[in-house]
Amino acid sequence: IRGASSGVTVGTSPSPNMPEGITFDHNGNMYVTGETENRVIRYAPPNFTVGAIVAGTGSAGSSSNQLNKPLG
C-alpha cells in the first residue's frame, strides 16, 4: 500500500471473510470483494482499518441493491 512502511492489517468491521478481489481508485481508497461476501467494502487511507459497505447487502440476489458472487 502506497506510503506504508511495514505490513498492513486491513479491517475491523466490516471485514471480508474470504477476499478475492482488491482494487484501488485514484484517491487511494481500497475496494475488496469476495465471492461469498456478495458486497463491496471500501477502506480509506491512511490506515485502511475501518471499512464501509458501498455495494451489496451480503445476500446474493438480482435486485438493484444486491450482488451475486462479485469478483475483481
Side-chain angles (χ1 to χ4, degrees):
I1 295 175
R2 180 180 56 200
S5 60
S6 62
V8 176
T9 301
V10 173
T12 52
S13 180
S15 61
N17 184 26
M18 296 175 58
E20 296 183 21
I22 298 174
T23 191
F24 293 84
D25 68 15
H26 67 280
N27 293 318
N29 293 304
M30 179 174 63
Y31 296 85
V32 179
T33 63
E35 185 175 349
T36 61
E37 299 292 323
N38 298 305
R39 60 187 179 174
V40 177
I41 303 170
R42 178 185 63 217
Y43 296 92
N47 56 19
F48 298 94
T49 57
V50 178
I53 298 170
V54 294
T57 63
S59 297
S62 58
S63 296
S64 63
N65 66 338
Q66 293 179 306
L67 300 172
N68 192 358
K69 298 182 179 179
L71 296 175

